[in-house]
Amino acid sequence: MGDFIGHISPGLFLVFYGLYQAITVSRAVILNDSLLYPSYLSKNKGKWARLWLIAHAGWLKIVIGSLLIVYEINCVEEGLTFMTKGMPPRFMYPKEWQHLTMFILLVLDGCVEVVSKNMLRQRCVVLERGATVLGVYVLLLLLVSHVKESSGVELQVHSLLILVVFLLMLVMTAELWAPEMFHLWVIETFLFLIMGSWLIQAAFILFRPVSGFPWEDDDISDIMFVTTFFCWHVMINALCMLGIYGISSFWYHCYSPSLRLMGSKEALYHKSSSGTFYKLLQEAEQQDKDDQAPLLSKSCDRA
């Protein structure tokens, strides 16, 4: 799948996934809502309530991953064989098998998310995040070995991609211990957008240059401009996230003022219902009732 479609398809998926997550995170930040248990899911009891509860991102991962697997297999005209029949046997199509492994992990990640959100009696967030982190770890290992035969412009393009995946791995690992921290989710969304847009850029750099002429590996200016383009992607994606946050803030404050109040209440409920703060409130209420009981009995006796 080392072709134009093979780079641009995962890139488009990551960009749309990053935009979807940017909208979700912006809403949670503005309304002070829970990232893992959004208020609109709990308060939606209408006819289409079940549609809101479907793991949309999980099903999207399954569908996109399955399509990429089919495309990867069909790209090899002779068939995606594993080893030669000669003696001694040799492994065949190493890069294609690495691509296939990446897409299989994407499908498995989607399956875990769907099972956790829609099939288990109680959602297991650690299982969901763990499956995603495992996929990022494997992706980083595959990318490191993927560039062994690369050089020049191609090596620079993939090295910058490896840098993004490495940072994403660190952020998502930290999220296992702090799954509700807004800062980590913002950085994760930002890295997903960079990874997606850079894959799209890589497709045009390596296979369909805008100028119509291939990039030269021996020209140091071409290699330097690869890094310059990457920095432009960083700035553009940062502005994109700021724009999404600004539009979301304008919308929720001007057109949905009631959602802001409901979101804050729901977030307080989710954070306190399973924590020590909620237990302390229950104990305080019970103590007040116990203190009031003797006073009521004394007043009855006097009467």
Side-chain angles (χ1 to χ4, degrees), residues 8-150:
I8 204 169
S9 299
L12 287 173
F13 164 71
L14 290 171
V15 167
F16 285 118
Y17 180 77
L19 292 175
Y20 164 78
Q21 190 160 302
I23 296 172
T24 303
V25 174
S26 297
R27 181 191 184 280
V29 172
I30 295 167
L31 303 182
N32 195 22
D33 200 1
S34 172
L35 285 165
L36 301 176
Y37 302 96
S39 58
Y40 66 86
L41 294 181
S42 59
K43 69 184 179 64
N44 192 344
K45 305 296 182 182
K47 182 178 179 181
W48 304 101
R50 289 188 177 182
L51 292 178
W52 290 103
L53 298 175
I54 294 176
H56 301 94
W59 282 109
L60 183 62
K61 292 176 183 178
I62 294 173
V63 172
I64 297 298
S66 301
L67 292 175
L68 290 174
I69 289 173
V70 173
Y71 181 79
E72 181 67 42
I73 294 175
N74 292 331
C75 279
V76 182
E77 297 180 357
E78 300 83 4
L80 192 61
T81 55
F82 189 65
M83 300 183 73
T84 60
K85 297 180 180 179
M87 296 300 294
R90 299 294 181 185
F91 291 109
M92 297 184 66
Y93 307 110
K95 289 191 175 183
E96 285 75 8
W97 280 104
Q98 286 188 343
H99 295 151
L100 199 62
T101 304
M102 299 176 191
F103 303 146
I104 290 174
L105 282 171
L106 179 62
V107 173
L108 292 178
D109 183 22
C111 291
V112 170
E113 185 172 344
V114 170
V115 170
S116 176
K117 288 184 177 180
N118 299 134
M119 297 183 183
L120 294 182
R121 180 173 299 179
Q122 185 176 2
R123 181 182 175 185
C124 185
V125 177
V126 177
L127 180 63
E128 297 176 29
R129 306 305 295 174
T132 306
V133 172
L134 177 63
V136 176
Y137 271 73
V138 175
L139 175 61
L140 180 62
L141 292 174
L142 293 175
L143 285 175
V144 170
S145 64
H146 205 66
V147 297
K148 292 296 183 181
E149 298 180 356
S150 303

Side-chain angles (χ1 to χ4, degrees), residues 198-211:
W198 186 242
L199 273 174
I200 296 174
Q201 180 71 63
F204 285 97
I205 291 177
L206 300 177
F207 303 102
R208 294 185 184 178
V210 178
S211 63

Side-chain angles (χ1 to χ4, degrees), residues 266-293:
E266 292 290 340
L268 179 61
Y269 171 77
H270 286 300
K271 291 180 180 179
S272 61
S273 59
S274 59
T276 57
F277 180 68
Y278 182 74
K279 294 179 181 178
L280 290 174
L281 286 177
Q282 285 185 326
E283 292 176 0
E285 291 177 358
Q286 185 64 33
Q287 185 66 29
D288 291 339
K289 291 179 181 179
D290 295 340
D291 293 340
Q292 291 176 2

Side-chain angles (χ1 to χ4, degrees), residues 187-206:
I187 298 173
E188 176 193 333
T189 303
F190 180 56
L191 293 174
F192 269 122
L193 285 173
I194 294 177
M195 185 162 58
S197 64
W198 186 242
L199 273 174
I200 296 174
Q201 180 71 63
F204 285 97
I205 291 177
L206 300 177

